[in-house]
């Protein structure tokens, strides 16, 4: 069936794939049209071909298989077309004047004899030049978009590419499509490589090899936390990835070195390849710590022993000898580290240190890597705490996701002491930024649990600092008396020491429910969060209970559990607003989590000031959905209200169940952990330990007891390629020699 008509109403357009629904006014009346279109504008004339189908909800509609845009022929249609804004500087007023002057020849004049528009009232030479440029671009862009979509690029992505490269688009695509990776959000190496090969680029092209090297290095940093990768291993993996002989890869390293994309480091026995920024971070950390540690400008002008005694009395606390020694180190050393498991008094020590410094007129700053961790330390100490980003005054960038900080080497923080909690979560890049914002004579107190999982980002900073043996380090091992009654804390230490936990004691807070299969495990987990725990303890299933699981996939993984729990805990109703984004369905009141740092998302604080940043692991609830604009609003647990656009939603997920890795720095009243046989590399002691230490009031493990015992026995710590420990030793030696 062929029809010709004018677009009179656009009902829906999917920007990603071009799927459109609109009304076409034809000689047979108004027809509903559905199909894939490069663009649809009211007033356009189309010739469409397709078949009529019947939808139970929407009725009869023409499903289009092909179409052709036709320029309008009547003066009314021509005026509508020109008034649509499709051509620069021609709006409704100029459109009316043009049609009045040239009638049905108006489009011929605009497209082919543009200079004649000088005869039209209100159009001058400057306008003529803009119109010419707009007409050329209109013709050109159509051809380019057609070419890009022919390479398997979605319409929305094609438009993004064209908007960035404009007239150079085809040149970039033909010569080096890997430029798209840096310039176009949504295109990574694999997509760029697909485009390149479809466009018949030489598979041995240096551009291809360079991009593959950078891709593998980036993946190693993101997925495995490696700061560098051994050159030999990297070469072999790149060769395998793109099917290129290893001898062709070797010369390309020099190209990347000369362009400052990578650093080739031979300092420590073998040849290692760094992404440039990670090398800078690692080197700067080591050099700055050495300078700070040996700086003698900071003077303590009070009796430390006396102040500790007075603080103990004022705070009504009891401290062990090792705790007192830890506190002393924070006044005797420029840099000190305090680490320990739950219930060992880390917060008490932070309180004591803070009080003594404040009472003696020193400025202190408390910080943590995430909003949840900062909020928790602020609640327990009564002292304001900020995220590291907020403390350093993060300023977003309009052209990338990195931005910069108000406080840096040229403008350091005006504070005497910085105390950072949850240090195990801090990666090399963030620690570098923190150190750049500190004066050399600022005291640094580092607090964390070295037995927790390492940071999501690259590096293993806390462990490397300790292993260097250059920084004063105190490990707290004794459990406070008030914590001994909690089997959560007792069992956390047992597990950390490789011992079986105490299970299912009467009046206990630590339970194990045995199940026979993963399917039964899943069903019990769902029953616990939806019925049993809320009924038994009065918990709010959304705010108080958190499911922590090993992996994202599988019958007890994040995806499956969230799918089930959304329908059970927040079911669809006639009044519930919801939004489908790809394969993700969001509803008002859904529990959600940010899965990647987005430093450019803005929000207004309680003082009405605009701030920026939502971070990996931040959780909250959807409070509003605007289906027409495909936006939703989330109120985070720390009361920040953040508006998400369609693009931002890539990094928002349901959070009734989350991975254990994503729970770092958080605490929940009740935690449920499915115990199922899965990915062996994830089934480690420190993973289980991290999960257990997230619970404040009770914890329930569900599943196979053998899995739990195997995790306890598996004390494998997945090593990360990092030379921070060696660099600290090296720089400390250099500074000591100079002194």
């Amino acid at each position: 069936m062929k029809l010709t008509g004018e677009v009179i109403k656009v009902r829906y357009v999917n920007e990603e794939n071009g799927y459109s629904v609109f009304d076409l006014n034809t000689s047979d009346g108004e027809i509903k049209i559905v199909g894939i279109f490069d663009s649809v504008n009211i007033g356009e004339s189309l010739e469409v071909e397709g078949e009529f189908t019947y939808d139970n909800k929407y009725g009869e509609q023409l499903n289009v298989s092909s179409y052709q845009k036709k320029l309008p022929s009547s003066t009314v249609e021509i005026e509508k077309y020109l008034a649509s804004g499709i051509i620069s500087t021609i709006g409704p007023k100029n459109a009316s004047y043009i049609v009045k002057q040239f009638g049905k020849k108006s489009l011929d004049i605009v497209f082919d004899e543009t200079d004649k528009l000088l005869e039209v009232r209100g159009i001058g030479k400057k306008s003529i030049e803009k119109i010419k440029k707009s007409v050329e671009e209109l013709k050109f862009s159509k051809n380019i978009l057609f070419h890009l979509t022919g390479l398997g690029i979605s319409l929305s992505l094609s438009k993004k590419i064209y908007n960035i490269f404009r007239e150079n688009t085809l040149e970039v695509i033909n010569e080096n499509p890997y430029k798209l990776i840096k310039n176009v959000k949504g295109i990574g190496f694999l997509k760029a490589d697909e485009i390149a090969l479809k466009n018949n680029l030489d598979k041995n092209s240096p551009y291809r090899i360079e991009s593959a090297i950078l891709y593998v290095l980036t993946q190693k940093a993101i997925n495995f936390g490696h700061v560098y990768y051994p050159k030999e291993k990297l070469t072999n993996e790149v060769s395998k990835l793109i099917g290129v002989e290893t001898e062709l890869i070797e010369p390309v390293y020099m190209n990347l070195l000369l362009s400052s994309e990578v650093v080739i480091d031979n300092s420590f026995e073998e040849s290692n390849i760094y992404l440039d920024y990670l090398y800078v971070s690692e080197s700067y950390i080591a050099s700055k710590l050495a300078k700070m540690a040996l700086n003698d400008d900071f003077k303590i002008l009070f009796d430390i022993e006396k102040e500790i005694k007075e603080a103990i009395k004022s705070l009504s606390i009891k401290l062990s000898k090792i705790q007192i020694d830890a506190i002393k180190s924070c006044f005797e050393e420029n840099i000190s580290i305090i680490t320990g498991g739950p219930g060992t008094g880390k917060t008490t020590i932070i309180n004591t240190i803070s009080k003594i410094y404040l009472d003696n007129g020193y400025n202190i700053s408390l910080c943590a890597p995430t909003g949840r961790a900062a909020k928790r330390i602020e609640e327990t100490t009564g002292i304001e705490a900020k995220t590291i980003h907020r403390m350093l005054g993060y300023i977003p960038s309009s052209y990338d996701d990195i931005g910069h900080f108000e406080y840096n080497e040229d403008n350091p923080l005006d504070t005497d002491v910085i105390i950072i909690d949850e240090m195990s979560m801090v990666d090399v890049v963030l620690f570098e930024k923190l150190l750049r914002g500190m004066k050399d004579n600022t005291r640094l107190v580092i607090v964390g649990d070295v037995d927790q999982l390492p940071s999501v980002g690259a590096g293993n900073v806390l462990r490397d600092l300790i292993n260097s043996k250059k920084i004063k380090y105190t490990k707290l091992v004794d459990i406070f008396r008030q914590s001994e009654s909690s089997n959560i804390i007792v069992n956390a230490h047992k597990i950390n020491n490789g011992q079986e936990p105490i299970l299912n004691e009467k009046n206990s807070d630590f339970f194990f429910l045995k199940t026979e299969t993963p399917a039964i495990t899943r069903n019990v987990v769902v029953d616990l969060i939806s019925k049993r725990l809320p009924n038994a303890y009065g918990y709010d299933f959304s705010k108080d209970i958190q499911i922590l699981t090993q992996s994202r996939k599988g019958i007890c993984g994040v995806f499956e559990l969230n799918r089930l729990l959304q329908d059970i805990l927040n079911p669809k109703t006639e009044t519930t607003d919801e939004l489908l984004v790809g394969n993700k369905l969001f509803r008002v009141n859904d529990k959600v989590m940010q899965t990647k740092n987005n430093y450019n998302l803005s929000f207004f604080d309680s003082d009405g000031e605009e701030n920026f940043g939502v971070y990996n692991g931040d959780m909250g609830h959807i409070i509003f959905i605007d289906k027409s604009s495909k936006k939703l609003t989330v109120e985070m647990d720390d009361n920040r209200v953040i508006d998400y656009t369609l693009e931002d939603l890539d990094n928002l997920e349901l959070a009734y169940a989350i991975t254990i890795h994503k729970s770092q720095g958080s605490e929940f009243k009740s935690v449920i952990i499915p115990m199922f046989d899965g990915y062996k590399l994830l089934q480690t002691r420190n993973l289980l330990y991290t999960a257990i230490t997230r619970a404040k009031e009770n914890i329930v493990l569900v599943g196979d007891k053998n899995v739990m015992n195997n995790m306890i026995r598996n004390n494998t710590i997945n090593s990360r390629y990092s030379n921070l420990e060696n660099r600290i030793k090296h720089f400390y030696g250099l500074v000591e020699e100079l002194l």
Side-chain angles (χ1 to χ4, degrees):
M1 169 68 80
K2 274 189 181 181
L3 291 171
T4 301
E6 179 191 346
V7 178
I8 57 173
K9 186 175 183 178
V10 179
R11 297 179 179 273
Y12 174 77
V13 176
N14 186 320
E15 296 293 340
E16 286 298 314
N17 58 23
Y19 181 80
S20 306
V21 182
F22 58 91
D23 293 346
L24 195 71
N25 190 23
T26 74
S27 57
D28 296 327
E30 294 179 13
I31 307 292
K32 189 174 276 104
I33 306 295
V34 298
I36 306 295
F37 295 80
D38 64 347
S39 65
V40 179
N41 299 294
I42 292 174
E44 283 185 325
S45 291
L46 297 179
E47 182 181 85
V48 297
E49 185 172 3
E51 291 184 3
F52 277 105
T53 59
Y54 187 83
D55 186 275
N56 288 332
K57 186 174 182 180
Y58 301 107
E60 191 177 57
Q61 50 194 28
L62 187 73
N63 204 324
V64 172
S65 56
S66 65
Y67 71 96
Q68 185 177 354
K69 290 189 177 181
K70 299 175 70 70
L71 290 175
S73 55
S74 73
T75 54
V76 174
E77 289 172 340
I78 291 169
E79 186 174 335
K80 279 185 184 178
Y81 179 79
L82 292 174
S84 68
I86 198 166
I87 297 168
S88 177
T89 77
I90 299 181
K93 187 184 285 186
N94 282 340
S96 174
Y97 290 153
I98 292 169
V99 173
K100 198 171 184 178
Q101 180 80 21
F102 299 109
K104 290 184 178 181
K105 292 182 179 179
S106 295
L107 291 182
D108 294 332
I109 299 295
V110 170
F111 284 108
D112 302 317
E113 300 177 73
T114 316
D115 287 333
K116 284 191 176 181
L117 292 176
L118 284 170
E119 300 172 19
V120 178
R121 179 178 146 193
I123 297 180
K125 288 183 179 180
K126 287 185 179 179
S127 296
I128 291 290
E129 291 307 310
K130 288 181 180 178
I131 292 169
K132 282 181 177 179
K133 188 177 178 182
S134 182
V135 167
E136 285 304 308
E137 194 170 288
L138 189 63
K139 294 175 181 175
F140 190 65
S141 66
K142 298 277 185 193
N143 292 332
I144 290 178
L145 290 176
F146 179 78
H147 182 78
L148 295 182
T149 52
L151 293 173
I153 306 172
S154 71
L155 181 64
S156 65
L157 213 49
S158 296
K159 288 177 178 177
K160 278 186 186 178
I161 294 169
Y162 178 74
N163 286 336
I164 292 168
F165 295 104
R166 311 301 293 185
E167 67 273 9
N168 299 317
T169 300
L170 291 182
E171 183 184 340
V172 169
I173 294 293
N174 292 328
E175 290 184 12
N176 183 12
Y178 301 97
K179 282 185 179 180
L180 301 176
I181 299 168
K182 284 186 179 179
N183 293 283
V184 184
K185 196 171 181 180
I187 294 187
F189 170 77
L190 297 177
K191 185 64 180 177
D193 198 48
E194 180 189 323
I195 294 167
L197 296 177
K198 279 186 178 179
N199 212 32
N200 298 315
L201 187 81
D202 181 3
K203 78 179 190 74
N204 296 328
S205 163
Y207 295 135
R208 185 171 187 241
I209 298 171
E210 285 177 16
S211 296
I213 291 170
L214 295 174
Y215 171 72
V216 173
L217 283 174
T218 302
Q219 292 303 301
K220 295 299 178 185
I222 293 172
N223 296 329
F224 300 97
H226 297 313
V227 183
Y228 70 84
Y229 209 57
K231 186 180 179 183
E232 186 178 348
K233 285 190 174 183
L234 178 60
T235 301
N236 290 332
E237 291 200 28
V238 170
S239 173
K240 185 178 177 182
L241 174 69
I242 61 176
V244 171
E245 297 297 325
T246 56
E247 57 264 26
L248 294 174
I249 297 171
E250 186 66 32
V252 176
Y253 287 121
M254 191 53 64
N255 298 347
L256 290 169
L257 181 65
L258 292 172
S259 64
S260 300
E261 299 269 17
V262 304
V263 172
I264 303 173
D265 182 62
N266 300 304
S267 305
F268 305 103
E269 297 181 3
E270 61 182 349
S271 185
N272 300 316
I273 311 294
Y274 287 78
L275 289 168
D276 180 73
Y277 75 95
L278 291 176
Y279 180 82
V280 169
S281 291
E282 191 176 87
S283 300
Y284 183 86
I285 290 169
S287 62
K288 179 69 177 257
L289 288 175
K291 284 197 297 183
M292 289 173 60
L294 301 170
N295 185 289
D296 59 1
D297 292 344
F298 193 105
K299 307 293 184 186
I300 292 293
L301 304 175
F302 54 83
D303 186 325
I304 297 171
E305 298 271 359
K306 181 184 174 187
E307 290 293 332
I308 291 174
K309 287 179 181 177
E310 289 183 2
I312 290 172
K313 185 178 178 181
S314 175
L315 296 169
S316 303
I317 56 175
K318 291 183 180 180
L319 298 175
S320 66
K321 183 180 181 305
I322 193 168
Q323 289 170 324
I324 291 173
D325 289 343
I327 292 169
K328 282 182 182 178
S329 73
C330 301
F331 298 97
E332 295 169 347
E333 305 287 337
N334 291 343
I335 308 170
S336 52
I337 300 172
I338 300 166
T339 181
T344 56
K346 296 191 298 294
T347 303
T348 302
I349 289 173
I350 292 173
N351 269 329
T352 308
I353 297 164
S354 301
K355 177 174 173 53
I356 294 171
Y357 271 121
L358 289 170
D359 286 351
N360 286 277
Y362 292 89
N363 296 321
I364 68 166
S365 298
L366 262 60
C367 64
T370 68
R372 293 178 72 88
K375 184 182 179 184
R376 198 171 74 248
I377 196 67
E378 183 173 305
E379 288 172 348
T380 52
T381 63
I383 302 168
E384 183 185 21
K386 298 179 180 178
T387 65
I388 297 172
H389 278 84
R390 191 174 178 196
M391 182 178 73
L392 294 175
Y394 177 77
I395 301 170
S397 167
S398 59
Y399 55 87
D400 61 32
D401 293 332
I402 299 171
H404 61 283
F405 294 94
E406 178 185 354
Y407 296 102
N408 49 48
E409 287 173 294
D410 298 324
N411 180 37
L413 288 159
D414 186 19
T415 189
D416 300 311
V417 183
I418 289 178
I419 303 173
I420 176 170
D421 195 22
E422 294 287 358
M423 184 64 191
S424 64
M425 299 176 66
V426 177
D427 60 40
V428 287
V429 175
L430 185 56
F431 195 43
E432 175 214 347
K433 301 304 182 190
L434 174 63
L435 294 179
R436 286 189 187 276
M438 292 177 61
K439 299 175 183 175
D440 289 350
N441 64 346
T442 298
R443 287 279 168 93
L444 179 61
V445 179
I446 295 168
V447 183
D449 185 349
V450 74
D451 295 315
Q452 297 275 358
L453 292 169
S455 59
V456 174
N460 201 348
V461 177
L462 181 58
R463 190 172 292 277
D464 284 345
L465 297 182
I466 293 169
N467 289 345
S468 74
K469 297 186 170 82
K470 293 294 183 180
I471 301 168
K472 178 67 178 178
Y473 159 59
T474 306
K475 183 167 186 177
L476 307 173
V477 293
D478 298 325
I479 304 174
F480 275 172
R481 188 175 292 121
Q482 59 263 41
S483 298
E484 290 178 349
S485 60
S486 168
N487 274 352
I488 295 174
I489 291 173
V490 171
N491 283 340
H493 287 269
K494 280 182 171 290
I495 288 167
N496 201 34
N497 293 324
Q499 302 169 345
E500 280 197 36
I502 303 164
L503 302 175
N504 300 330
E505 282 192 338
K506 191 176 180 181
N507 300 321
S508 175
D509 52 8
F510 199 106
F511 305 95
F512 194 105
L513 302 181
K514 185 180 176 183
T515 57
E516 298 300 323
T517 66
I520 297 172
T521 299
R522 176 199 61 194
N523 295 340
V524 172
V525 166
V526 170
D527 190 53
L528 280 165
I529 191 171
S530 61
K531 296 176 183 175
R532 293 168 66 175
L533 288 173
N535 291 340
Y537 297 94
Y539 288 150
D540 182 314
F541 62 77
S542 189
K543 294 179 180 178
D544 300 329
I545 309 170
Q546 186 60 59
I547 298 169
L548 304 181
T549 187
Q550 305 167 32
S551 61
R552 295 172 67 79
K553 297 179 181 178
I555 198 167
C556 293
V558 166
F559 296 138
E560 173 69 3
L561 287 170
N562 277 326
R563 182 187 66 80
L564 284 173
L565 289 167
Q566 183 185 47
D567 286 338
I568 293 170
L569 303 178
N570 190 28
K572 168 73 173 171
T573 69
E574 289 185 4
T575 59
T576 304
D577 285 329
E578 60 181 27
L579 180 65
L580 182 64
V581 183
N583 61 353
K584 295 192 288 189
L585 180 66
F586 296 108
R587 290 183 186 137
V588 170
N589 296 324
D590 270 337
K591 185 177 183 178
V592 289
M593 169 183 275
Q594 179 75 14
T595 60
K596 186 180 178 182
N597 291 344
N598 185 333
Y599 304 119
N600 294 335
L601 268 176
S602 67
F603 63 93
F604 291 92
D605 62 20
S606 55
D607 298 324
E609 292 185 13
E610 189 176 22
N611 283 281
F612 296 88
V614 58
Y615 306 107
N616 185 3
D618 283 352
M619 298 174 71
H621 290 79
I622 298 172
I623 58 174
F624 178 73
I625 289 177
D626 184 347
K627 290 191 286 188
S628 61
S629 62
K630 297 184 181 62
K631 294 180 180 178
L632 57 79
T633 303
V634 176
E635 182 176 4
M636 294 296 177
D637 291 347
D638 58 4
N639 300 321
R640 287 172 297 158
V641 176
I642 299 173
D643 292 325
Y644 282 78
T645 64
L646 190 63
E647 193 174 65
D648 300 322
L649 290 174
D650 286 346
N651 302 314
L652 194 73
E653 291 184 357
L654 295 177
Y656 301 102
I658 63 175
T659 62
I660 297 168
H661 283 85
K662 293 293 186 187
S663 72
Q664 288 175 267
S666 300
E667 281 188 343
F668 312 96
K669 285 185 179 181
S670 181
V671 168
I672 305 168
I673 309 173
M675 290 281 101
F676 59 98
D677 202 12
Y679 190 39
K680 299 299 182 187
L681 286 176
L682 290 175
Q683 297 186 326
T684 61
R685 182 187 299 175
N686 69 335
L687 188 82
L688 182 58
Y689 172 75
T690 299
I692 286 168
T693 56
R694 301 306 90 202
K696 291 194 293 185
E697 295 184 5
N698 67 62
I699 189 163
V700 187
L701 281 68
V702 185
D704 188 342
K705 195 175 177 183
N706 290 326
V707 172
M708 179 190 74
N709 290 331
N710 289 337
M711 291 179 78
I712 294 169
R713 285 192 290 270
N714 182 10
N715 197 28
T716 304
I717 295 174
N718 295 325
S719 61
R720 296 183 166 190
Y721 287 116
S722 163
N723 270 321
L724 181 59
E725 175 189 335
N726 292 325
R727 289 195 198 280
I728 290 172
K729 292 175 181 175
H730 173 71
F731 276 103
Y732 267 66
L734 290 178
V735 174
E736 286 168 346
E737 283 178 19
L738 290 171
L739 296 176

